[in-house]
Structures are given as structure tokens and as C-alpha cells.
Amino acid sequence: MNNNTEEKVKPFRLVKYFTFISLIVMFAGTVVISSLNTHSARNMLLKKSKDYAHVLVENLNHQIFMQFFIPVALKFGKIQLRDEEQFSHMDRVVKNTLHSFRVETVNIYDMNNVISYSFEKSVVGKQNMGGSDYQNAVKGRSTSKLIQSGNFWEISFGFPKQSLLITFDPLRAEKSLAQMTGPILGVVEIVQDLSDDYKSIFNLQIRVLETCAIVMGILFIFLIFVVKRGEDILERRSLERLKLKEELNRAQRLAALGEMVAGVSHEIRNPLGIIRSSAEHLKKKMLILDPSNTIPHIIVEEATRLNNIITDFLNFAKPKEPELIQCRIEEILDKNISFFSTQIDGKHYEIERNYDGSIPEIMGDVNMLYQAFLNILLNAKEAMPGGGKIRVSANYLSQENKVKVVFEDEGHGLPDEIADKLWDPFFTTKEMGTGLGLGIVKNIIDAHGGSISIENKSSRGAQAVIYFPVKNK
């Protein structure tokens, strides 16, 4: 059954695996899209920062020319930043112009690639510090480059410790607004710190991924729940179908077997009746001729036993329809216990009964239920050959509208290897049994719309649990 169930559930598992893989692909796609968006945002930030740097240089160029070059040239006749007063004046102009702007460093080169002014006075006077970017600026071409610092993982994942944008622009002399820009007087180097901007982009990317992960996680949990429920439903239905199929096959086998048993039983019963009546007639004669001869008596007893076996066959093969009337379960049980008590008197057996006082009447055939209960009591007795206690209880389950009857013994319980064979016809562990007793009991319970199960107790022994529906006539 397990293999068949596995085959039934397998198509749904394919759906489950496809769902999980789809979630993984969706999350991976989200990561890729987020990475592409972040890369695009970084490129946009870099372009805007470059344009921003050029605007700053143009503004600084204008302020230096208007507030430094012209006044200083008029006052001193020439520009010499080595002069402390001129350097201080240049420093005020530059810092006032770039005040509140995020500019890390400003370097101004003369036409000989010598740093004439810088935020860092330690580099003033140094030569050949501009490199190829300086040469491009002298030729009138602006350049910008991004320099990032940090370890491999920080740079790879887009959150370097520091990001600096270095821009070189020519410093020009200004003419009137109607004319072209003047000649190049030097080079301005502006260093912008973009670290916070890059960190903001990285933090945004992390928030996007966290949001996607949370959404995917919630969706994943929901899908797991749905898939689990679906699997359980499908597995339960598969088990039900297999169970119904097994019951149908069993019913078909039993039907064929019943027809055969019924036919054979009828054929045996006729000659058996002749043998029994002849043996009884012979027994009467032998009482006169040879009273000590017990052979006719043995023939009568064995013929009677064989007739009872045939009766069991017929009851199992062709169970009669119950004649349903309103009856009380506890009255039938009391009748069984009264008869059974005479069979166990003085044999170390004890019967304990426990009835709920509010048990309603059920629709049942008193004789058939009596026969079923008697068979169960006999089985309980045979499970305890050395004696023991048999408990009989009955109560009403109001929520289910059923009457529950339980027979308990204190035997050794049911071995695992026979638990699944209890209801099979002709299966028995008794030396003289036919294996039809429990089958007849089940047929009777089924005919009353009830159900029966036999199972081991948590403590010693086994119990038979029977449920009868409560119906109005």
C-alpha cells in the first residue's frame, strides 16, 4: 500500500518541487534586478557628481578670477601665492565659495605642474603631482576618476570604506560675457567624498533585498502550508481509494466464497441429517442390546458438531437481514452476561459491567446482537485460559450520537502478525475453530450500521470496541 500511495502522491510532489524552484528562481531574479538597479544608480550618481564637480569648478573659477586675480593684480602687480597675504586671500575666496559643499580637497596647479594652493599646506610647492589628468586639463579637457578603498569583499559588494571622485578642470581667465573664455591660467583639482552616497545606495539595496526576502519567506511558508495540506488530502484520498479497492476485492472474494460454501453446505447438510437421525435410531437400539457401546453416541455428537459448523458457514456466507426493533443495549448485554456466567462459574473468571445511565434505545435485532456479543465474550474467555476479569462497558456519545460498547480482557493481547488477519474468513489460532466467529460478528455489526475494531490495550490484554448509531424507527 505504501508503494501505491507513493506513486499517487508523486505528481503532487512534482508540483511542490516546481513551486520551491520557482521561488528560488524568483528570489535570484530579484537579486539580479536589484543589483542591476543598484549599478545603474551608482552610474547615475557618478555622472551627476561629475557634472556637479564641473559646475563647482566653473563657479570657483569665476570667483577666483573676480575676487582674487583682478584685485591682487591691481594691488600687487603680479600673482605670487608664496606671499602669505595673497595665499590667505586665495584661501578665503576658495573656502567661501565652497562653503557648505561636500568637497574634500582643492588643489590649484600653475602652468608648470606645481601645486600653488591646497587645503593641505603640506603639498603646496610639490611638482608633477597631477599626472596625465593635469596634462589633459592644460589642453582644455576636463577629466574625472573614481577612486575607492577597502578590502576585496567591500568593493565587490558595493560598500567601499571610501569613495573619492577626483576632477581636473582648467582654470581660465575670464573675458567679457560676449566673448569666448580666456586663456588657461592653471588647473583646478577638486576631490569629492562620495562615500556617504555610495553607502546610501548600498543600504537601499540591502533594504530592497530584505523586503524581497521577507515577502519570499512569507510566500514560501504559505506555499509550504498549502502544499502540505494538499499532500495530506491527496494521500488521505489515495489511502481511502486503496482501502475501498481492497474492500471491494475482499467483498468479491467473499461473495464467490460464500456462494461456494452455501452450495457445499447444503449438499453436506442433507446426508448429514440422515447420518444423525440414523445414529440416534441406532443409539436407542444399542441401549437395549449393548448399553456399554458408546459409538452411536459419539456419532450423534460429532454429527451435531459438524451441523453447527455448517450453520456457521451458512450464517457467514448468507447472513440474514436483521429484524430491527427498538431495543436497549444494556438489556441484551445483561442477558449475555447471565448466560455466560453459568459457563464460567467456578473457573476463576469474573465479569465486571459498567453502563452509562443515559443510553438511548437503538434499532437492532436482539437475537443477532445477542449472538455477536456472545461470540466476543467467548473469545475473551479463550484469550485467558487461566482465568481473569472481563469488563463490559456501554455509554452514549452525545456529540457523535452513537452508543459505544467495549469488551476488555486481561489476556496476552494480539500478536502483531495476526492483527491484520482477524477479519479474514477461516483464519483462526484455535485448534478446533472454523475462523468464522469474528467474521459473523462483523457481518452482524455491519448489518446494524455500526463498526467494530479489536486492538491491544495500553496495559495488558485486548479490547473490542463497537459503535452503534442511534436512529429513530
Side-chain angles (χ1 to χ4, degrees), residues 134-152:
Y134 169 83
Q135 299 298 331
N136 289 328
V138 169
K139 297 176 183 178
R141 295 194 296 269
S142 298
T143 59
S144 295
K145 62 181 178 181
L146 181 66
I147 297 178
Q148 296 179 323
S149 60
N151 59 41
F152 173 78

Side-chain angles (χ1 to χ4, degrees), residues 259-271:
E259 292 180 2
M260 181 191 71
V261 168
V264 171
S265 298
H266 280 297
E267 294 297 325
I268 293 176
R269 176 165 276 184
N270 291 330

Side-chain angles (χ1 to χ4, degrees), residues 340 344 347-352 380-381 383-391 408-411 460:
F340 191 68
I344 61 175
K347 297 181 180 179
H348 307 290
Y349 289 97
E350 179 184 352
I351 295 182
E352 178 184 301
K381 172 178 174 290
M384 301 182 296
K389 181 182 289 187
I390 299 174
R391 296 179 179 85
E408 301 178 69
D409 62 54
E410 295 179 343
R460 182 183 176 188

Side-chain angles (χ1 to χ4, degrees), residues 177-295:
L177 296 177
Q179 296 177 345
M180 297 295 290
T181 56
I184 296 174
L185 301 177
V187 173
V188 177
E189 177 187 5
I190 290 183
V191 179
Q192 295 174 267
D193 190 352
L194 306 181
S195 302
D196 292 341
D197 295 326
Y198 273 85
K199 288 179 181 177
S200 298
I201 293 175
F202 175 75
N203 291 334
L204 176 62
Q205 182 184 17
I206 293 299
R207 285 194 293 271
V208 170
L209 292 178
E210 287 177 347
T211 303
C212 291
I214 292 172
V215 172
M216 291 295 178
I218 294 173
L219 184 60
F220 182 74
I221 294 173
F222 176 74
L223 287 176
I224 286 180
F225 174 76
V226 172
V227 168
K228 180 62 178 175
R229 286 292 302 275
E231 275 188 340
D232 292 342
I233 293 172
L234 186 61
E235 184 173 0
R236 187 165 60 250
R237 290 181 178 176
S238 298
L239 290 173
E240 290 175 356
R241 284 196 295 270
L242 291 172
K243 185 177 180 181
L244 289 174
K245 185 177 180 181
E246 289 180 353
E247 291 180 353
L248 178 61
N249 292 335
R250 181 174 179 272
Q252 291 175 344
R253 292 196 303 271
L254 292 178
L257 182 62
E259 292 180 2
M260 181 191 71
V261 168
V264 171
S265 298
H266 280 297
E267 294 297 325
I268 293 176
R269 176 165 276 184
N270 291 330
L272 181 62
I274 296 173
I275 293 172
R276 181 178 175 180
S277 61
S278 300
E280 288 176 345
H281 182 69
L282 181 61
K283 180 181 177 181
K284 292 178 181 179
K285 287 189 176 182
M286 291 302 295
L287 288 175
I288 301 173
L289 299 176
D290 186 5
S292 63
N293 193 330
T294 60
I295 293 178

Side-chain angles (χ1 to χ4, degrees), residues 15-31:
V15 175
K16 179 180 70 174
Y17 297 147
F18 176 77
T19 302
F20 291 166
I21 292 173
S22 299
L23 280 175
I24 294 173
V25 171
M26 288 169 61
F27 184 74
T30 302
V31 173

